[in-house]
Amino acid sequence: QQTTYFHYLSTVNNNCIGPSNNPTMSSELYIEEDEMNKHDIDQVGAVYTYNTNENEDNDTDDEHTSHHGNDEEEDDDDDDGILSYLFDKEHAKQHLFAIFIALIASVISYHHIISDSDTSPSHKVPFHSSLPIHTRPIERQIPLKTTKAHHHHAFKRTESLFFCPLNGAENGFASLSDNTNSFQNQIQAALSLNGNDMDRIDIDPNLQLYQFNFPKEYTDIVNDYFIADERMDDFYNHTLSDEYPEMTDHAQFQCLIDITITNQQKSTVPMGSIAYVQPPFASFFKNKDGKGKALSVSDIHYGKELKKASLTYTGFTAKFINLSPKPLHLFWEGKEKPKFRSRIQPFEAFTTVTSPGNTFYIAPTYDKDHALERWTVTADEAVLAYDSIENDNEVYMRLTKEEKKLYEMQKLNMKYGQEYLAKTQRSWLSMFPRPMNMHFMWDAQYFGQEYKVLSAQSHFLTMPLAKDRKGHEEIWRQLDYADYDVMAEKKQQQENYLNLKKYRKEGPLELSLKVVSVAPRVFEIDGFLSDVEVEHLLDMALIYNATEPDDEGKKSRKKDGITNAWIRREMSPIVDAIYHRSADIMKINESLLRDRNEYEHTELNTHHSIAEAMHLTQFIEGQGYFPRSDAKLSSARNRYQPHRFATVMFFLNDVGEDDGGNTVFPLAVNAEHHDGIRVVPKKGKALLFYNILPDGNADDLSHHLSEFVQEGEKWLGTLFVWDPIID
């Protein structure tokens, strides 16, 4: 029964291509009968999985109870009949023959299970029956449990709302000094008033404290935001239902009440907020001579006036908001017929990459030809809303309390967006309030700027091909909670676990992050992957390919890749090392890029990984993708307002510069190239770029595309990392 149970687990896991929904991260292990005597089932990893056989065992017990009950009734009728059957020669022969047949069937069944366990039924990849790397079981008093809402105790959505005046801002935040050092001090002072740990907060040099004229009519909504932070009401289930009708005693909200009373004749009051303001273009260029003296822009460009290149790509992200109590459909009016883009839920929004002059319209779900409102979009008015309530008081009065609050949340968000656009010249694509990013961000001050990072995850130089007595390669061993428990323990002791030193280069790995774009922030990392690591990822991409063949039995030739595979961190030690190395170059705790148990504490106090499964893609001739944005819009009901914070992209083969397949950032600000900044794929090279600005808004300059391959192929790996938690 134990053998069959683990065989079943392996079959289920092998058929799950995408990120596992199983919080226990069960290893794909085949436990054979002769191994059971050596390894207790708990020690192989089952102790960290839920006992799915529990109900099975109970059902079996019930069946036996029922069966014995029937036997007892029969015994009362004819005890002698049974005894005579057992000692009757003719019946004894039949009984022995039946036992003989059952033994043969058992032997056949046993060998069938063993033969199946040698090869995965889905992918024909050998997996381990005995663990080559010793895993010491960890005793737990309480079994591992999952959490639906991963409370982030350090997160405060209202962190960047300032109503209390600062020194020098007694007459409003607009009177603050306008220099970089002063802004950093002001932000530090404002955040400290909110009780923030200043050692945790990294203040980007391009953030500024500015004045937002807060409309007093939304005071109750701000109170709800503060209350939700205090109660950790992550999806506003209680806040929207008025379960917490009391007023917060937060100092910033008390200041809001005070200035509201003081400014009774005004409809707005001053509020301080944090915004990212892009530095001057001239500062993007900086170099030094042999003596370390900074060269001026004119020195670099031989006296020519420095100007931004006029970009041929004019795309931008448009945001559509449904301010009505009913779901609506958004359509793009294409050249031939309207194309459905999204179903937008009441008081929610949808974003899409588009270009000036395109026309969209909103329609009821039951009639796509009935345009309730139509827009021809421009970059200057990228945020658009259909509002069926503003001019109809009867509709507003029919709204529930929850709907009224959601409506007012979106209206406040749009008010903030108008002033944010005036301050930064960027559209506000997030949901107000949205604090600064929790995770570290590298600053990109000028082209060619470099940062050095040391990672303990050195390159694999040879493939771990050692085999156990069954011929299973250890490279395919999957990791589980026990491995990561030991890893956390060894880390505290400043020791490495699962390092597989005999296959890797000695010493730490030094990586250089070189700025190839300032706006958006893009960093190039040569030598991120070794040839052995690339080979392993290519093998996994072919094994776990999820692209369905077309009608003729051939692989699909869709534009977005002929091969698509999603690889989880725990699927092999090499993949684990790549995730760990990615965390190192982002200066993020590696444990955040994997699921953790409730006994492993981090500064986030959450259990779910903030990284998605690694996406491996193969493009052949004629394939690539058009400009896209990796940033994702969250629901208005989500307190965390999570975003895809950063993208780590790595190339798995060389592509000729003239063969297509280049990765291009078409909106990258530069002085030379009208088509943006181009990165030529090189085997083992990685890119790190941010989809979010330091103030929490989506960076609309981070659009990127993959040129269509003209000759050969392009292999690409992508890892998305979220802030503050994954959606």
Side-chain angles (χ1 to χ4, degrees):
Q1 185 182 10
Q2 290 172 335
T3 304
T4 307
Y5 170 61
F6 271 85
H7 177 68
Y8 166 76
L9 271 185
S10 298
T11 305
V12 171
N13 285 338
N14 288 340
N15 291 331
C16 295
I17 303 296
S20 174
N21 290 326
N22 183 357
T24 59
M25 300 163 55
S26 300
S27 299
E28 296 181 11
L29 300 173
Y30 288 87
I31 307 302
E32 298 178 359
E33 190 174 67
D34 58 347
E35 294 292 316
M36 282 300 176
N37 296 328
K38 299 179 182 179
H39 300 282
D40 182 78
I41 191 169
D42 285 352
Q43 294 178 343
V44 187
V47 68
Y48 303 115
T49 64
Y50 292 114
N51 185 7
T52 54
N53 280 335
E54 204 166 37
N55 293 334
E56 228 173 81
D57 293 341
N58 292 338
D59 292 341
T60 304
D61 292 338
D62 291 340
E63 289 174 9
H64 285 304
T65 302
S66 175
H67 177 66
H68 290 315
N70 292 335
D71 282 349
E72 289 171 0
E73 292 175 4
E74 293 175 2
D75 289 348
D76 293 338
D77 295 337
D78 191 10
D79 290 342
D80 294 338
I82 294 178
L83 294 175
S84 62
Y85 169 80
L86 291 175
F87 290 100
D88 183 82
K89 292 184 178 180
E90 181 179 356
H91 287 131
K93 290 180 180 179
Q94 294 176 355
H95 188 62
L96 291 173
F97 181 74
I99 293 175
F100 177 72
I101 294 298
L103 288 173
I104 293 176
S106 299
V107 171
I108 294 174
S109 175
Y110 171 79
H111 285 286
H112 176 71
I113 291 174
I114 296 302
S115 62
D116 279 353
S117 67
D118 289 338
T119 304
S120 168
S122 300
H123 307 298
K124 298 183 179 179
V125 178
F127 290 91
H128 280 59
S129 60
S130 61
L131 302 182
I133 307 172
H134 177 63
T135 298
R136 181 170 62 84
I138 294 179
E139 298 295 333
R140 291 202 177 91
Q141 300 298 323
I142 305 173
L144 183 68
K145 61 178 181 295
T146 59
T147 50
K148 292 183 179 180
H150 304 289
H151 292 311
H152 186 326
H153 297 284
F155 177 84
K156 302 295 180 185
R157 187 176 180 182
T158 54
E159 176 184 74
S160 300
L161 302 185
F162 311 116
F163 294 98
C164 298
L166 299 176
N167 292 333
E170 288 78 5
N171 297 321
F173 292 89
S175 61
L176 290 170
S177 174
D178 193 9
N179 66 76
T180 302
N181 291 333
S182 179
F183 275 129
Q184 304 315 304
N185 295 333
Q186 292 158 4
I187 294 174
Q188 292 274 5
L191 291 172
S192 63
L193 286 177
N194 283 349
N196 295 102
D197 180 5
M198 300 316 299
D199 292 334
R200 180 187 63 82
I201 298 175
D202 179 72
I203 305 297
D204 189 273
N206 299 304
L207 290 174
Q208 294 185 13
L209 193 63
Y210 81 103
Q211 178 171 306
F212 165 53
N213 295 304
F214 175 78
K216 293 192 295 185
E217 61 185 296
Y218 300 114
T219 299
D220 288 343
I221 294 299
V222 170
N223 179 66
D224 289 339
Y225 283 135
F226 278 109
I227 290 291
D229 276 348
E230 293 167 5
R231 306 277 184 162
M232 288 191 293
D233 187 7
D234 293 343
F235 301 102
Y236 299 118
N237 294 326
H238 306 296
T239 305
L240 292 175
S241 63
D242 267 346
E243 187 172 325
Y244 306 133
E246 73 272 16
M247 187 173 70
T248 177
D249 58 359
H250 195 284
Q252 293 291 350
F253 188 77
Q254 295 304 315
C255 287
L256 170 59
I257 298 301
D258 292 341
I259 58 176
T260 298
I261 296 173
T262 304
N263 296 274
Q264 292 186 13
Q265 304 302 318
K266 297 181 179 179
S267 61
T268 63
V269 295
M271 186 199 88
S273 187
I274 298 174
Y276 174 84
V277 179
Q278 186 170 298
F281 180 57
S283 68
F284 290 12
F285 301 87
K286 184 178 180 182
N287 208 337
K288 295 181 179 180
D289 61 15
K291 298 180 181 180
K293 180 182 178 181
L295 300 176
S296 66
V297 173
S298 60
D299 290 330
I300 298 172
H301 293 271
Y302 306 103
K304 295 181 180 179
E305 184 180 358
L306 188 64
K307 292 183 178 181
K308 294 182 184 179
S310 178
L311 300 175
T312 55
Y313 173 70
T314 57
F316 62 95
T317 300
K319 179 179 178 181
F320 299 91
I321 307 174
N322 176 14
L323 295 181
S324 75
K326 295 181 180 179
L328 298 172
H329 284 173
L330 179 70
F331 291 89
W332 167 53
E333 289 193 330
K335 296 180 180 179
E336 298 178 358
K337 60 180 181 179
K339 183 178 179 180
F340 174 78
R341 294 298 295 122
S342 178
R343 178 187 178 95
I344 309 178
Q345 295 298 330
F347 312 108
E348 296 289 356
F350 170 76
T351 58
T352 183
V353 172
T354 185
S355 56
N358 278 329
T359 301
F360 294 82
Y361 69 89
I362 206 89
T365 57
Y366 54 83
D367 186 359
K368 69 176 183 178
D369 296 322
H370 180 200
L372 298 172
E373 190 163 352
R374 180 178 275 104
W375 306 278
T376 299
V377 298
T378 65
D380 295 331
E381 296 184 38
V383 180
L384 303 158
Y386 170 70
D387 192 344
S388 66
I389 300 172
E390 185 174 29
N391 298 320
D392 195 331
N393 189 56
E394 290 186 6
V395 174
Y396 180 79
M397 296 306 296
R398 287 199 300 267
L399 297 178
T400 64
K401 289 183 178 180
E402 178 176 327
E403 289 173 335
K404 288 178 180 178
K405 288 190 175 185
L406 288 169
Y407 175 73
E408 291 169 1
M409 285 178 178
Q410 287 288 4
K411 295 291 283 187
L412 174 58
N413 177 60
M414 294 179 66
K415 292 284 187 181
Y416 179 81
Q418 293 171 0
E419 297 196 23
Y420 180 90
L421 175 62
K423 175 66 178 179
T424 66
Q425 309 306 308
R426 291 175 181 260
S427 296
W428 175 252
L429 299 173
S430 293
M431 181 72 183
F432 175 84
R434 212 293 184 174
M436 298 182 300
N437 299 316
M438 298 259 346
H439 304 309
F440 175 83
M441 280 186 78
W442 291 105
D443 184 22
Q445 298 176 349
Y446 55 88
F447 292 107
Q449 183 180 12
E450 290 192 50
Y451 297 100
K452 300 292 183 181
V453 174
L454 285 179
S455 173
Q457 300 299 315
S458 58
H459 283 147
F460 279 84
L461 299 181
T462 58
M463 189 73 75
L465 295 179
K467 298 184 179 182
D468 62 15
R469 61 187 179 84
K470 293 293 184 180
H472 299 146
E473 297 175 357
E474 66 182 18
I475 188 58
W476 296 109
R477 176 206 168 184
Q478 291 206 7
L479 311 180
D480 58 20
Y481 272 136
D483 294 311
Y484 290 119
D485 283 344
V486 177
M487 185 184 297
E489 180 181 330
K490 294 293 184 182
K491 187 176 181 181
Q492 291 179 350
Q493 301 170 1
Q494 297 185 341
E495 298 178 16
N496 287 323
Y497 176 68
L498 295 177
N499 206 28
L500 300 175
K501 292 182 179 179
K502 61 182 178 179
Y503 305 110
R504 304 173 82 155
K505 186 177 180 179
E506 293 185 4
L509 174 64
E510 183 178 87
L511 295 169
S512 176
L513 281 71
K514 183 178 180 180
V515 175
V516 295
S517 172
V518 178
R521 298 185 185 187
V522 183
F523 302 85
E524 187 178 66
I525 307 107
D526 284 325
F528 182 77
L529 299 175
S530 69
D531 289 346
V532 169
E533 292 161 350
V534 168
E535 178 186 346
H536 180 60
L537 291 181
L538 293 176
D539 287 343
M540 299 197 88
L542 294 176
I543 292 168
Y544 294 101
N545 180 24
T547 303
E548 297 291 338
D550 59 21
D551 295 337
E552 298 178 359
K554 300 178 181 179
K555 294 279 186 70
S556 171
R557 295 181 65 87
K558 293 170 65 177
K559 296 294 184 182
D560 56 358
I562 191 174
T563 300
N564 288 278
W566 284 265
I567 309 300
R568 302 186 306 276
R569 175 173 177 171
E570 68 272 12
M571 292 176 79
S572 84
I574 287 183
V575 176
D576 175 81
I578 295 171
Y579 270 77
H580 197 150
R581 195 180 301 153
S582 299
D584 289 341
I585 65 170
M586 290 185 285
K587 292 186 68 175
I588 294 177
N589 188 322
E590 64 82 20
S591 69
L592 302 183
L593 271 62
R594 57 177 169 83
D595 288 349
R596 300 169 301 283
N597 62 55
E598 74 271 25
Y599 296 92
E600 184 177 358
H601 299 291
T602 70
E603 66 269 23
L604 294 184
N605 293 310
T606 61
H607 304 312
H608 199 291
S609 171
I610 63 170
E612 297 181 34
M614 184 189 303
H615 183 201
L616 302 178
T617 314
Q618 177 195 15
F619 300 102
I620 60 174
E621 293 182 19
Q623 291 185 332
Y625 58 83
F626 293 108
R628 62 175 60 163
S629 171
D630 289 342
K632 295 295 181 184
L633 186 66
S634 301
S635 168
R637 298 171 180 267
N638 193 324
R639 183 172 70 94
Y640 297 112
Q641 289 301 295
H643 271 298
R644 272 182 177 165
F645 165 69
T647 300
V648 181
M649 183 182 291
F650 28 85
F651 304 108
L652 306 181
N653 69 315
D654 293 324
V655 178
E657 189 172 358
D658 299 325
D659 294 338
N662 297 317
T663 295
V664 182
F665 295 87
L667 291 175
V669 179
N670 71 100
E672 301 176 13
H673 306 290
H674 296 287
D675 55 354
I677 290 177
R678 176 178 281 97
V679 179
V680 180
K682 179 183 177 183
K683 185 178 180 180
K685 177 194 289 187
L687 292 178
L688 166 65
F689 58 92
Y690 296 103
N691 309 302
I692 304 299
L693 296 169
D695 63 6
N697 189 23
D699 187 355
D700 206 29
L701 300 183
S702 65
H703 292 193
H704 56 93
L705 64 90
S706 178
E707 292 179 337
F708 290 85
V709 177
Q710 299 178 15
E711 184 177 345
E713 63 180 359
K714 174 185 178 180
W715 282 92
L716 181 69
T718 309
L719 184 64
F720 300 115
V721 179
W722 289 69
D723 179 278
I725 62 173
I726 199 166
D727 192 351

